Every structure is written in C-alpha cells, then in structure tokens.
Amino acid sequence: MEELDKRISEIVRSTVKEFMESLLKGEIQAFIEQNNRQRNGYYERDIGTRYGKIDDLRVPRDRDNEFQTALFDRYQRNVGIDGLVVSMYSKGISTRKMAEILEELFHNKYSKSTISRITDITVPEIQKWLTRPLEKRYIAIFMDAMFFSLRRDTVQKECVIFAMGIRESGNYEILGFYMNPVENHIAYRNVLMGLHERGVEEPLLFIADGLPGIEEEIKQLYPRADFQLWTVHASRNFESHVRVQERNDIDSGLKSVFLSRSREEALDQFNMLKDKWSLKYPKPVYNMEKNLSILLKYYEYPGSIRRSKHSTNLIERMNKEIRRRIKIIDSLPTEESAMKIIYLRVAEINERWSLRTLR
C-alpha cells in the first residue's frame, strides 16, 4: 500500500508539473507580445505544491531577464495555484473577472490577455479531442443544437450542435460539438461527415429535430440507419399551439403516447388524444399524426433501450449545464473562447458519463 501511495503521488506531481509548465508558457507568450521582448530559453527550479515537491520545473525567461511569473515569486518555495485558472474558465468566469480574482489572491496583476493566453493551453487539446477516432458502431446518435451570443463585429445568436452516442456497451459519450452561425441541414451534414471521417460506420439510429433536409442528409451518408424525431421537442411544439389552461391535460395525453409499453398501445393512446383534441386544435394534431411513424421509431428496438432513445433528459441536462456556464458572460468575444468553455465542460460531463450505462 505504501508503494502504491508513492506511485500515485508521483503521477499527480507529474500532472501538476505539466500543467504548471503550460501556464508558464502562456504567461511568457503574453509577456513577449505585450512588451516586444525576445525569449531566452528556460531555467529549472524546484517548487513545493500541495502534492509534494516538483523537481526541475522549466521556467521560461526573456533576454532582458524581466519576465516574472505570477504563479510564484522568484525565491518562493511553495505554490498553491494548481488548476485554478483553467478551473475558473471552465465555470464560465470571464477573463476580466479572473484577472481581478488572481490579483486579489496573488497581489500580482494578471491581465485579460494573459488569462486568455493561459487558457489557450486547451486549444491543441480541443482539436485533438474533436478529431479523435470513434467507434464503428453506435446504438444511437443524438444530435441537438444550443444557441448562445457571440461577437463577430456585432453580437448575434449562433449555434453549437452536439452529437451524443450510445455505444454497444451501453455507455454514453459526447462524440463532438460543432460551431455554426446558423442551424440548417448543411450544418448537420458537416456534423455527419465529421463523424464518418472519425470512424462511425454503422449507427443504428439517429435522433434529431425535424429540420428540413436533415433526414435526407442522414440517409445520404448512412442509408441503413433509422431516423427518429425528438419526442420531447414534438410534444413541446404541440403544446405551444394550445391554450395555457389546457396544456397540462394535453401533456398528460402525450406522455401516455410516448411512454406506452408497445407501438400498438402508443397508437391507441394517440387515437384517444386525436379524438379529444382534433376539433379544437386540428393543426398540431395533424402535424403530429403526419410524423407519428418517425416519432415512434424507438418501438422497433428492445425495451431496455427504448427510454433512452425517446427521452432528451441527458442531452438537455448537458445543454443546461453549458448554457449556465456561458450565461455568466454577456457574450463571448470569439468562437475560440466559446469552444474553450464548451470543451472544458464537455470533458467533465464525458468523464461522468463514462460510468453511466443503459438501464
């Protein structure tokens, strides 16, 4: 046990060292750019952290020897900033606010540009994650878009499309996220092509909104895959076209349709809903009936995986968590800053989901 503890401590110290050296690289780069200086290699030093002493930490320097990291003073022996900057960024704290917090903590000014440069250490990691190989076969792939405010000269709403998969093992996984100024079938085509290029060959089912052209895009690349509409989105759309006082009654009827034990029972429940509401609300009833075969596609699959296929709970919770992070910042200054926040949150969620399987 003593040997195991020692080995774990070594691994943690190695990780902290790598992280601190990444922060130092971000700092020196910002310093060089802001002060028109030139780099002059590194020197090595030891420093204590809460995880133990780190040997041979590579600290960058400039030719005039003026660069001083805000992580620690020149002769300081211990430091406690491990993970602070990236952790704050992942929680949606703006670079301006982080600069204020770090100045308060360390009495040494971190500018907005320095914070931005430090968080740039995630950029190569994002690209590596977005292009990582995927499995050949997935039980289902969910696709959904979230909108946020982004500055491109002016501030406008733009979308990020998430793709979430269920592996054959039953584990959930966020496969990727894709930035696009608008949500249309071409944006989803790019998502599908990205998944295909990364190794996805045999998805059984795609779940997405009824955006014009999206089913055709799926069939073009995956002709054998089934397509299903989000049932929760269809229910909300139906309910948005009825009077407020009748929504609870209609919502109960829709749940009876989509939570039925069989397709036959679901059709019976829909016919009851239709008989009750078609005279009062003919258009939403007609639209749902027109799409009913695509909405009930999940009944062609085993009962053990039906609930996950018609429910949006997981992906909607994910959207809610990411939106909460972004909401703290009025509008994101660049697409890259949006990607950094989204990636850091997605990485956390994926780690949690790696332990979750179909029930």
Side-chain angles (χ1 to χ4, degrees):
M1 181 62 73
E2 201 171 299
E3 186 63 32
L4 178 60
D5 289 343
K6 182 179 177 182
R7 179 61 182 145
I8 291 172
S9 296
E10 288 173 357
I11 293 170
V12 171
R13 281 197 300 275
S14 174
T15 303
V16 171
K17 179 182 179 182
E18 182 180 341
F19 175 72
M20 289 180 68
E21 287 180 345
S22 294
L23 292 181
L24 289 165
K25 286 179 184 177
E27 277 192 297
I28 188 67
Q29 188 62 36
F31 175 83
I32 294 296
E33 291 176 3
Q34 291 165 11
N35 298 283
N36 195 26
R37 295 291 191 268
Q38 289 184 309
R39 296 184 62 163
N40 187 32
Y42 300 86
Y43 70 92
E44 294 183 347
R45 61 160 295 174
D46 301 339
I47 191 146
T49 74
R50 56 179 167 159
Y51 304 109
K53 191 177 79 165
I54 292 175
D55 299 318
D56 304 324
L57 182 72
R58 284 163 57 85
V59 182
R61 57 191 173 195
D62 67 295
R63 286 191 176 179
D64 298 311
N65 203 29
E66 293 181 355
F67 169 69
Q68 172 58 49
T69 176
L71 283 175
F72 45 78
D73 292 332
R74 194 174 298 274
Y75 302 105
Q76 185 178 343
R77 297 290 93 191
N78 294 279
V79 65
I81 196 175
D82 318 64
L84 184 59
V85 172
V86 173
S87 175
M88 286 193 290
Y89 199 87
S90 73
K91 290 175 172 57
I93 298 175
S94 70
T95 52
R96 178 190 59 78
K97 189 63 179 175
M98 275 195 278
E100 292 174 3
I101 293 169
L102 290 173
E103 183 183 16
E104 187 71 28
L105 287 173
F106 297 101
H107 309 289
N108 198 337
K109 183 68 174 177
Y110 269 94
S111 68
K112 287 172 61 178
S113 61
T114 301
I115 295 295
S116 182
R117 177 66 66 179
I118 289 171
T119 57
D120 280 348
I121 64 174
T122 61
V123 173
E125 190 178 330
I126 294 170
Q127 294 307 318
K128 184 179 179 181
W129 185 83
L130 287 173
T131 57
R132 75 195 189 282
L134 298 174
E135 294 189 8
K136 178 180 178 180
R137 187 180 175 92
Y138 285 87
I139 295 172
I141 294 177
F142 303 77
M143 297 189 295
D144 196 22
M146 182 188 79
F147 290 83
F148 61 94
S149 296
L150 184 69
R151 286 191 216 115
R152 298 186 196 268
D153 295 329
T154 59
V155 176
Q156 290 192 18
K157 291 285 186 182
E158 297 199 9
C159 83
V160 55
I161 299 172
F162 293 96
M164 186 195 84
I166 302 177
R167 299 177 179 178
E168 287 188 291
S169 62
N171 292 98
Y172 294 78
E173 176 187 11
I174 301 171
L175 307 178
F177 60 90
Y178 305 82
M179 315 285 293
N180 210 66
V182 295
E183 184 190 18
N184 55 29
H185 71 95
I186 297 173
Y188 281 92
R189 179 198 301 166
N190 293 333
V191 174
L192 293 164
M193 289 175 65
L195 296 176
H196 191 267
E197 288 169 2
R198 292 163 61 198
V200 179
E201 295 181 12
E202 298 177 8
L204 300 183
L205 176 69
F206 280 95
I207 299 100
D209 268 334
L211 202 68
I214 190 171
E215 185 176 6
E216 289 76 10
E217 295 290 355
I218 291 170
K219 293 298 183 183
Q220 184 74 25
L221 204 55
Y222 297 106
R224 298 176 64 184
D226 288 327
F227 174 68
Q228 182 191 305
L229 293 171
W230 285 113
T231 57
V232 171
H233 292 188
S235 296
R236 287 177 185 160
N237 184 55
F238 190 117
E239 292 166 23
S240 69
H241 291 87
V242 305
R243 291 180 176 176
V244 173
Q245 63 267 30
E246 291 170 330
R247 284 180 186 170
N248 286 340
D249 194 2
I250 289 173
D251 182 67
S252 178
L254 290 169
K255 285 179 179 176
S256 296
V257 174
F258 297 127
L259 295 177
S260 295
R261 288 169 292 183
S262 67
R263 180 183 175 84
E264 291 71 26
E265 183 182 328
L267 290 171
D268 289 341
Q269 290 293 333
F270 177 77
N271 286 330
M272 291 170 61
L273 183 82
K274 178 181 175 181
D275 291 342
K276 185 173 182 179
W277 298 107
S278 60
L279 290 177
K280 203 167 192 178
Y281 301 112
K283 187 173 180 179
V285 170
Y286 169 77
N287 286 337
M288 180 161 283
E289 186 172 29
K290 181 177 64 175
N291 293 317
L292 201 57
S293 62
I294 308 176
L295 286 164
L296 301 180
K297 180 64 68 173
Y298 60 94
Y299 280 108
E300 298 176 16
Y301 291 81
S304 60
I305 59 176
R306 278 182 202 161
R307 187 172 182 85
S308 67
K309 288 190 174 187
H310 76 80
S311 173
T312 62
N313 287 346
L314 271 181
I315 202 163
E316 288 195 333
R317 278 205 300 270
M318 176 192 71
N319 283 354
K320 186 177 179 181
E321 288 183 41
I322 293 170
R323 187 176 285 109
R324 188 169 64 245
R325 296 288 189 251
I326 292 175
K327 191 177 180 182
I328 299 171
I329 304 172
D330 292 335
S331 60
L332 293 159
T334 64
E335 183 175 309
E336 189 174 89
S337 63
M339 290 183 71
K340 286 190 284 189
I341 285 183
I342 292 168
Y343 167 71
L344 289 165
R345 193 66 194 125
V346 162
E348 290 178 35
I349 295 169
N350 249 0
E351 187 175 347
R352 198 163 67 234
W353 282 3
S354 66
L355 304 174
R356 184 187 180 104
T357 57
L358 287 171
R359 288 180 292 183

